[in-house]
């Protein structure tokens, strides 16, 4: 197991002990299998306990793991074939958002998702998964194409946010995201959204309005990142761990607040531990939902989709309460 984060140090120590005993066993030819098995059991128990009691910040860290599978890897593992489509037919082709036709479980669907890079060159090419306006306009073009051919839309979300550069604002970043939200709300085909990593701000919601919205177990979804929240509230990034807890951005908190429809469990230790198994789990869920949604009356589906998102964060004034009291905020599906 590759150890990356500070909170994984207990696992690293146990792993080191196991390796040392194995080396000693090989060198001395003395059977130490009992000791190795005992340490391995302790390693497995510690690993299970560690990953079932993660803090908000620790989940943020896992969602950013450099080996975590990205959109193209999921598509490669889930789809029988995939044809990528390019460009927004207006400005250019944004490499931070990819999309195209894919076949999953015998069903053709339009796949759209954020794409990050594995190395420095690729990260720059993909703009670190931060889309420009043309990326969201490309996504909308592909959604409209899916609607034309009556095919479901599947979006995979993994972005630290929409690109905040001057040129993005000049080309209408806010308008592009707002239009996507509006158009996705009334799209006349089933829409399934899965947060596979980071789900930050408008960058996520720009392709995140769906009939079903899922989060992988160790992902986060919030209007702002913990670092940015910390810098605004405390004028320093030093409080990012506290911000992560206050924001309630984990999958369990989001599900409890009825802002998502479900949590997709990850392999122990995170999706990066076994991308093939993770893709198989996601694929199974997508196939199940596609079959259930495609038989629904589309007018009812769109109406329910609109109602679901409009009900989030609704403020209800209780006339019987003290007028001086603050209004009650209710989050409902």
């Amino acid at each position: 197991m590759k150890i990356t984060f500070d909170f994984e140090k207990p696992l690293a120590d146990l792993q080191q002990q196991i390796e040392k005993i194995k080396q000693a066993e090989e060198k001395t030819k003395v059977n130490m299998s009992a000791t190795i098995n005992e340490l391995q059991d302790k390693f497995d128990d510690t690993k299970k306990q560690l990953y079932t009691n993660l803090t908000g910040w620790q989940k943020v860290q896992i969602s950013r793991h450099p080996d975590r599978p990205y959109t193209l890897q999921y598509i490669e593992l889930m789809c029988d074939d995939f044809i990528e489509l390019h460009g927004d037919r207006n400005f250019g082709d944004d490499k931070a958002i990819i999309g195209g036709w894919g076949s999953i479980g015998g069903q053709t669907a339009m796949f759209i998702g954020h794409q990050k890079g594995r190395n420095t060159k690729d990260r720059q090419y993909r703009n670190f998964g931060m889309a420009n306006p043309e990326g969201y306009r490309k996504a909308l073009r592909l959604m409209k194409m899916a609607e034309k051919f009556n095919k479901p839309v599947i979006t995979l979300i993994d972005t630290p946010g929409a690109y905040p550069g001057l040129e993005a604002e000049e080309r209408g970043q806010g308008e592009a995201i707002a239009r996507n939200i509006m158009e996705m709300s009334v799209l006349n085909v089933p829409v399934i959204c899965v947060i596979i990593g980071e789900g930050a701000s408008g960058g996520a919601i720009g392709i995140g309005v769906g009939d079903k919205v899922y989060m992988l177990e160790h992902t986060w979804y919030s209007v702002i990142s913990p670092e940015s929240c910390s810098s605004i509230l405390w004028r320093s990034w030093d409080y990012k761990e506290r911000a992560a807890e206050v924001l309630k951005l984990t999958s369990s908190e989001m599900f409890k607040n009825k802002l998502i429809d479900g949590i997709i469990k990850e392999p122990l230790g995170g999706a990066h531990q076994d991308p093939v198994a993770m893709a198989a789990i996601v694929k199974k869920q997508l196939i199940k939902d596609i079959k259930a949604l495609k038989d629904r009356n589309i007018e009812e589906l769109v109406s329910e989709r609109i109602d679901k998102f409009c009900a989030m964060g609704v403020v209800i004034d209780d006339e019987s309460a003290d007028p001086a009291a603050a209004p009650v905020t209710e989050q409902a599906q």
Side-chain angles (χ1 to χ4, degrees):
M1 176 183 174
K2 184 179 178 181
I3 305 298
T4 305
F5 306 115
D6 290 341
F7 66 85
E8 294 176 318
K9 190 176 183 302
L11 296 177
D13 293 340
L14 286 169
Q15 194 172 51
Q16 189 176 26
Q17 290 180 46
I18 293 171
E19 290 301 321
K20 285 183 176 179
I21 292 174
K22 285 182 177 179
Q23 290 173 8
E25 182 183 47
E26 184 177 349
K27 185 176 180 180
T28 62
K29 306 300 180 182
V30 176
N31 187 353
M32 299 183 181
S33 57
T35 304
I36 293 173
N37 291 336
E38 183 180 345
L39 284 172
Q40 187 62 53
D41 289 342
K42 187 176 180 181
F43 178 90
D44 294 338
D45 291 342
T46 303
K47 184 178 180 181
K48 185 176 181 180
Q49 184 178 5
L50 182 67
Y51 288 107
T52 52
N53 295 282
L54 293 170
T55 66
W57 175 245
Q58 288 168 348
K59 289 202 172 190
V60 171
Q61 288 179 289
I62 291 179
S63 75
R64 296 171 176 170
H65 195 285
D67 294 331
R68 195 173 179 86
Y70 298 145
T71 295
L72 281 174
Q73 189 173 2
Y74 276 107
I75 291 174
E76 179 184 351
L77 292 170
M78 293 191 301
C79 295
D80 299 321
D81 53 61
F82 177 68
I83 301 173
E84 186 175 354
L85 303 174
H86 301 272
D88 68 340
R89 302 297 187 265
N90 184 34
F91 181 83
D93 183 38
D94 190 347
K95 306 301 183 183
I97 284 188
I98 60 100
W101 294 113
S103 177
I104 179 170
Q107 168 72 52
T108 300
M110 180 63 76
F111 285 83
I112 300 167
H114 300 97
Q115 179 64 30
K116 296 178 178 178
R118 295 293 179 193
N119 52 50
T120 302
K121 184 178 180 180
D122 199 25
R123 290 187 187 109
Q124 291 176 332
Y125 179 71
R126 298 291 182 182
N127 200 32
F128 299 87
M130 297 186 294
N132 280 280
E134 52 269 23
Y136 292 103
R137 290 176 180 134
K138 172 171 70 172
L140 181 57
R141 180 177 76 83
L142 300 185
M143 292 177 200
K144 286 294 185 181
M145 184 185 294
E147 185 180 52
K148 177 180 179 181
F149 294 106
N150 194 30
K151 301 298 181 184
V153 173
I154 297 170
T155 69
L156 303 177
I157 299 163
D158 186 9
T159 179
Y163 183 57
L166 177 62
E167 59 270 33
E169 297 298 334
E170 289 175 340
R171 295 197 296 273
Q173 184 74 285
E175 186 275 340
I177 293 173
R179 181 169 294 277
N180 276 26
I181 295 171
M182 179 184 71
E183 296 286 358
M184 289 187 78
S185 299
V186 295
L187 207 63
N188 285 319
V189 290
V191 183
I192 305 169
C193 309
V194 183
I195 299 163
I196 59 173
E198 300 183 86
S201 193
I205 198 68
I207 59 169
V209 179
D211 303 297
K212 295 290 184 180
V213 180
Y214 296 104
M215 291 177 68
L216 300 195
E217 184 181 7
H218 301 313
T219 60
W220 64 277
Y221 193 23
S222 175
V223 71
I224 193 170
S225 70
E227 295 93 334
S228 297
C229 177
S230 176
S231 66
I232 291 172
L233 295 182
W234 293 285
R235 301 289 189 270
S236 169
W237 279 23
D238 295 341
Y239 298 91
K240 56 185 180 292
E241 295 182 30
R242 181 178 173 187
E245 298 302 321
V246 172
L247 286 169
K248 307 293 184 184
L249 42 66
T250 62
S251 57
S252 57
E253 291 289 351
M254 294 296 289
F255 183 69
K256 184 170 70 175
N257 289 325
K258 300 182 181 179
L259 298 174
I260 60 171
D261 298 292
I263 300 170
I264 299 177
K265 196 166 182 62
E266 299 186 24
L268 188 61
H272 58 280
Q273 300 289 349
D274 194 344
V276 175
M278 186 72 256
I281 296 169
V282 175
K283 180 179 180 179
K284 183 179 179 181
Q285 185 66 54
L286 292 176
I287 292 173
K288 177 183 176 182
D289 285 326
I290 289 172
K291 287 180 178 178
L293 293 172
K294 73 177 183 179
D295 294 330
R296 294 285 308 280
N297 178 280
I298 195 61
E299 291 183 0
E300 292 180 0
L301 202 62
V302 170
S303 179
E304 289 176 10
R305 188 190 308 156
I306 293 171
D307 290 343
K308 178 174 72 171
F309 279 85
C310 286
M312 295 178 185
V314 171
V315 175
I316 299 175
D317 292 322
D318 187 352
E319 296 180 357
S320 63
D322 182 358
V328 177
T329 299
E330 180 182 280
Q331 289 179 320
Q333 184 174 340

